[in-house]
């Protein structure tokens, strides 16, 4: 280094120069240099030794300072780390406290859903819980109403809107949430933007900040829970929205549970009210019965009363009656045993009361009838309600049949007295059957059965009268049992077949179709007309199976081809059956038949019950090509107005009117038939005259403008094979 050339850029050239290394663990990490520019200042070995010593001290001091700086940096870095950890810990503590508060709120909501005594109390408690989580000074709950077309504000606490009236769905913020099924957090600017776009409108005072979330039940929006602020000092955040949304899920579940409990409470209250009313009515009916029962049997009666008595009237039921009949039979079998009879009462036209003014009125009428019967019986007699409008009386008959007849007549007269039911004056009547004790009876069931059969005989004779069961009825009952067994076997063996009667165009005598008429090929009695078994079929419920066998045969005949249409009668009960149309078209499709060649004949009764549903069935049939004809027109209600309402293709004028065209009342009948035909032409409805038996009737109908005819003159019912192909 001493031989280096002088470089002016490095400063002035020194006269003397001394430098020593700075060593750390034997490694050079720096140097200390001194230099002199004066002649008098020169460095020697002692100076070098001293400078070397100083250099080591300086290095030590520098190392200590550097270590101190590094330590301070580490302390500062650790301090920052601890501060961040502390803030995270504080955030965690705050979040945990929030979670605990939220968990407590959810627990309280679940508990309130079970413990609240009313919906109103539940709403107040929900408000209190929400208030622990966020600012809820302005809070309301809106629920979708029962009709699903508006909102009910079931709870509201607000600084400016003291109450909120129910309203139909509109463009309010609340409805906005119901429509979108999503929460909404809206500032004043956001609300103004929604208003400007026409998506919402405001009701009541203007909010500074508005937060609403939907209430869900089984994934359906059932309402909205809302908090709002009117002051800039209170604004809600996305965290508040998440919090309220989470709470609302539990409120929705709790609300559904509380509403179920409310309905249950109302149902219990209504049930208790009805029980109280029934109890008062039963107390009046039972006074006389309770007076006959000794103190010794009252405890037993309380245990057995429900099983042995009718709930509505308090009268003994069938089980109780049969028990008393067994005692009466046992006494009657003894020498000189007392005679008795069983009377079976069925109220006339009771179904009309139920259908017109309601079942409650029918129940009230039954209670009043029970009171009247009870007031007439003696201490040894028993009156029981068997169900519906049927009553049975065990009557002690000192003078035999004469006593039973006299009592029956007096009871019918007592029943006919007017009664007021729900503001209407009613005049009930009944039909009575009498079965007098005879040693051939083995038990009470047989007596009740025969009294029931005698009651039906009384109804058949014109109602409001009584009939006595006799040997002729007994034989008829046995024949009915045998016939029912034959009917069941015939259904299994498919012994029913259609006979076809031609329907003729009166103008030229051409056959346009056939009516299918039911016949039974009985295994012993030969061919039977419906009159021989129809009533039994209706009573036993077997006629429906028979009818479907007939429909199947007729549709099979249609599938074999031919010209013209086939018509078949359909009872009102079948026509109103929910699956009638589907089942009928199933048969048509299975057979491959043309539905346009099938016509159904119904009576006026089928049109008068449940008009909208009947119209829907008729339209379904017409859309598939099946036309409907109105059979026996004029024998029912003959309300001409329904001809405008229902798609009827044909009127079949009842044969009684056809027969009357040349009878004693021919003028009035003629005018009536003429009016019906004129109306049918005006409405574009075809007409068929039924029961044409002579040429004079045919000519008269043709003269009056009747389109078609049917009757023995034009063709008797017969198997299809006897006619030319239809």
């Amino acid at each position: 280094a001493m031989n280096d050339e002088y470089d002016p850029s490095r400063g002035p050239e020194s006269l003397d120069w001394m430098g020593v290394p700075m060593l750390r663990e034997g490694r050079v990490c720096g140097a200390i240099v001194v230099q002199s520019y004066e002649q008098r200042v020169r460095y020697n070995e002692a100076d070098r030794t001293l400078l070397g010593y100083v250099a080591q001290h300086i290095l030590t001091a520098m190392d200590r300072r550097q270590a101190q700086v590094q330590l301070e940096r580490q302390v500062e870095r650790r301090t920052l780390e601890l501060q961040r950890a502390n803030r995270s810990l504080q955030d965690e503590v705050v979040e945990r406290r929030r979670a605990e508060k939220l968990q407590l709120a959810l627990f309280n909501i679940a508990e309130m859903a079970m413990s609240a005594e009313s919906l109103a109390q539940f709403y107040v408690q929900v408000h209190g819980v929400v208030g622990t989580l966020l600012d809820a000074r302005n809070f309301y709950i809106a629920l979708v109403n029962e009709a699903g077309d508006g909102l009910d504000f079931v709870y509201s606490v607000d600084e400016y809107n003291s109450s909120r009236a129910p309203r139909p769905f509109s463009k309010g913020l609340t409805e906005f949430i119901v429509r979108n099924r999503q929460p909404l957090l809206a500032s004043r600017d956001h609300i103004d933007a929604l208003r400007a776009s026409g998506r919402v409108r405001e009701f009541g005072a203007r909010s500074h900040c508005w937060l609403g979330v939907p209430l869900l039940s089984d994934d359906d929006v059932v309402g909205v829970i809302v908090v709002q602020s009117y002051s800039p000092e209170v604004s809600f955040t996305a965290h508040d929205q998440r919090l309220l949304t989470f709470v609302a899920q539990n409120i929705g579940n709790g609300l559904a549970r509380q509403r179920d409990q409310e309905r249950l409470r109302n149902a219990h209250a209504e049930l208790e009210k009805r029980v109280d009313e029934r109890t008062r009515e039963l107390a009046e009916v039972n006074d006389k019965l309770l007076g006959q029962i000794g103190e010794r049997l009252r405890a037993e009666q309380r245990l057995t009363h429900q099983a042995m008595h009718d709930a509505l009237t308090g009268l003994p039921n069938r089980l109780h009656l049969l028990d008393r009949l067994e005692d009466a039979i046992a006494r009657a079998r003894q020498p000189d045993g007392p005679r008795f009879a069983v009377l079976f009462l069925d109220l006339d036209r009771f179904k009309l009361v139920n259908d017109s003014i309601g079942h409650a009125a029918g129940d009230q009428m039954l209670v009043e009838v029970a009171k009247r019967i009870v007031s007439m019986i003696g201490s040894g007699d028993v009156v029981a309600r068997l169900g519906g409008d049927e009553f049975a009386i065990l009557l002690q008959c000192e003078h035999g049949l004469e006593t039973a007849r006299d009592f029956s007549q007096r009871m019918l007269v007592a029943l006919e007295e007017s009664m007021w039911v729900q503001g209407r004056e009613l005049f009930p009547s009944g039909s009575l059957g009498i079965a007098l004790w005879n040693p051939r009876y083995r038990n009470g069931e047989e007596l009740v059965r025969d009294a029931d059969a005698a009651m039906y005989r009384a109804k058949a004779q014109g109602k409001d009268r009584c009939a006595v069961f006799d040997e002729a009825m007994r034989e008829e009952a046995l024949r009915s049992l045998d016939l029912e067994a034959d009917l069941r076997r015939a259904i299994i063996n498919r012994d029913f077949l259609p006979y076809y009667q031609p329907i003729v165009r009166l103008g030229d005598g051409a056959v346009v179709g056939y009516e299918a008429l039911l016949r039974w090929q009985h295994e012993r009695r030969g061919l039977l007309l419906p009159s021989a078994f129809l009533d039994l079929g209706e009573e036993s419920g077997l006629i429906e199976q028979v009818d479907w066998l007939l429909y199947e045969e007729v549709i099979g005949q249609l599938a074999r081809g031919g010209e013209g249409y086939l018509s078949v009668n359909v009872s009102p009960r079948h026509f109103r059956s929910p699956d009638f149309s589907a089942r009928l078209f199933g048969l048509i499709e299975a057979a491959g038949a043309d539905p346009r060649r099938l016509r159904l004949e119904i009576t006026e009764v089928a049109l008068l019950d449940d008009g909208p549903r009947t119209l829907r069935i008729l339209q379904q049939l017409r859309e598939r090509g099946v036309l409907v004809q109105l059979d026996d027109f004029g024998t029912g209600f003959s309300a001409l107005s329904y001809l405008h309402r229902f798609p009827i293709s044909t009127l079949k004028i009842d044969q009684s009117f056809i027969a009357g065209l040349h009878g004693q009342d021919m003028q009035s009948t003629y005018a009536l038939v003429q009016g019906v035909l004129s109306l049918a032409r005006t409405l574009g409805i075809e007409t068929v005259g039924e029961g044409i038996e002579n040429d004079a009737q045919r000519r008269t109908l043709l003269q009056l403008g009747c389109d078609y005819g049917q009757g023995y003159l034009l063709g008797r019912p017969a198997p299809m094979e006897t006619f030319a192909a239809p």
Side-chain angles (χ1 to χ4, degrees), residues 326-584:
E326 293 303 319
D327 294 340
I329 291 172
R331 290 193 300 271
R333 291 191 184 279
Q334 297 174 0
D336 298 326
R339 290 180 291 178
F340 67 93
V342 173
L343 279 59
F344 196 105
L345 171 66
D346 183 89
L347 299 181
D348 298 332
R349 298 177 300 280
F350 178 73
K351 184 177 184 298
L352 181 61
V353 175
N354 271 343
D355 294 344
S356 58
I357 58 178
H359 289 272
D363 289 350
Q364 187 177 345
M365 182 177 180
L366 290 174
V367 171
E368 178 61 27
V369 167
K371 291 178 183 179
R372 294 185 182 184
I373 299 174
V374 168
S375 68
M376 297 180 63
I377 63 174
S379 59
D381 303 328
V382 177
V383 55
R385 182 185 176 216
L386 304 184
D389 59 341
E390 296 177 340
F391 296 85
I393 303 165
L394 167 59
L395 184 70
Q396 302 300 322
C397 298
E398 182 180 353
H399 302 293
L401 184 58
E402 180 183 352
T403 301
R405 285 185 183 274
D406 177 67
F407 178 85
S408 299
Q409 293 298 333
R410 288 189 291 110
M411 187 169 69
L412 290 177
V413 171
L415 282 179
E416 291 175 354
E417 295 181 7
S418 67
M419 65 173 65
W420 286 90
V421 175
Q422 294 192 353
R424 292 179 179 271
E425 187 176 17
L426 303 180
F427 295 86
S429 64
S431 298
L432 262 172
I434 302 172
L436 195 64
W437 157 250
N438 188 294
R440 71 169 179 272
Y441 288 114
R442 294 169 297 179
N443 52 54
E445 284 281 7
E446 294 181 354
L447 274 159
V448 174
R449 177 201 64 200
D450 289 351
D452 186 15
M455 181 274 295
Y456 277 105
R457 172 67 61 86
K459 277 192 179 294
Q461 292 173 349
K463 302 181 180 179
D464 193 20
R465 63 190 64 210
C466 63
V468 180
F469 187 83
D470 53 22
E471 284 303 318
M473 285 190 191
R474 180 177 177 82
E475 292 175 3
E476 182 180 346
L478 292 175
R479 285 196 302 271
S480 179
L481 287 174
D482 292 339
L483 185 61
E484 181 179 347
D486 293 345
L487 190 60
R488 293 183 183 276
R489 284 194 300 273
I491 291 173
I492 296 172
N493 298 331
R494 304 176 71 89
D495 291 336
F496 299 93
L497 65 157
Y499 266 42
Y500 296 92
Q501 186 173 29
I503 299 172
V504 175
R505 187 162 48 233
L506 294 179
D508 57 9
V511 176
V512 297
Y514 296 85
E515 179 181 359
L517 302 171
L518 178 64
R519 298 292 186 267
W520 176 7
Q521 190 64 50
H522 194 278
E523 56 189 356
R524 296 186 307 277
R525 299 167 59 186
L527 193 68
L528 298 182
L529 297 176
S531 58
F533 60 87
L534 194 60
D535 289 343
L536 176 64
E538 292 281 359
E539 181 181 343
S540 62
L542 297 174
I543 196 62
E544 182 173 359
Q545 300 178 53
V546 175
D547 284 346
W548 280 108
L549 290 176
L550 176 65
Y551 303 157
E552 188 175 343
E553 290 288 337
V554 172
I555 291 172
Q557 181 65 44
L558 282 175
R560 289 192 281 274
E563 300 291 336
Y565 66 84
L566 300 182
S567 66
V568 63
N569 287 281
V570 178
S571 71
R573 182 172 63 180
H574 281 181
F575 190 72
R576 292 192 291 264
S577 176
D579 64 343
F580 172 74
S581 297
R583 189 173 177 184
L584 180 69

Side-chain angles (χ1 to χ4, degrees), residues 506 654-673 690-704 713:
L506 294 179
D654 187 68
Q655 60 184 357
S656 62
F657 295 103
I658 307 304
L661 288 173
H662 299 280
Q664 289 182 337
D665 299 326
M666 59 179 297
Q667 291 184 346
S668 59
T669 303
Y670 185 93
L672 180 60
V673 173
E690 295 184 294
I692 301 176
E693 297 185 352
N694 56 62
D695 196 56
Q697 294 171 346
R698 183 191 67 81
R699 289 196 306 271
T700 301
L701 287 172
L702 183 60
Q703 177 187 353
L704 290 172
L713 176 68

Side-chain angles (χ1 to χ4, degrees), residues 87-120:
R87 283 195 298 270
S88 176
L89 183 60
Q90 289 177 346
D91 291 343
E92 183 178 346
V93 170
V94 170
E95 190 62 33
R96 181 171 298 178
R97 287 175 179 173
R98 287 178 178 173
E100 290 175 352
K101 184 183 293 185
L102 178 61
Q103 185 175 7
L104 179 61
L106 298 180
F107 174 77
N108 289 337
I109 291 171
E111 185 178 23
M112 289 184 303
M114 300 300 298
S115 63
E117 296 180 359
S118 66
L119 276 171

Side-chain angles (χ1 to χ4, degrees), residues 223-240:
V224 179
I225 183 169
V226 174
V227 292
Q228 55 187 326
S229 165
Y230 300 105
S231 169
E233 284 77 21
V234 178
S235 294
F236 302 108
T237 65
H239 175 76
D240 294 330

Side-chain angles (χ1 to χ4, degrees), residues 280-293 374:
R280 287 193 295 271
E281 293 175 356
L282 290 173
E284 296 176 5
V285 177
N286 290 336
D287 281 345
K288 186 170 184 179
L289 296 174
L290 293 174
Q292 299 173 5
I293 300 174
V374 168

Side-chain angles (χ1 to χ4, degrees), residues 6 50 308 323 336 412 480 554 620:
Y6 169 69
L50 178 61
M308 302 289 284
D323 186 54
D336 298 326
L412 290 177
S480 179
V554 172
Q620 290 173 353

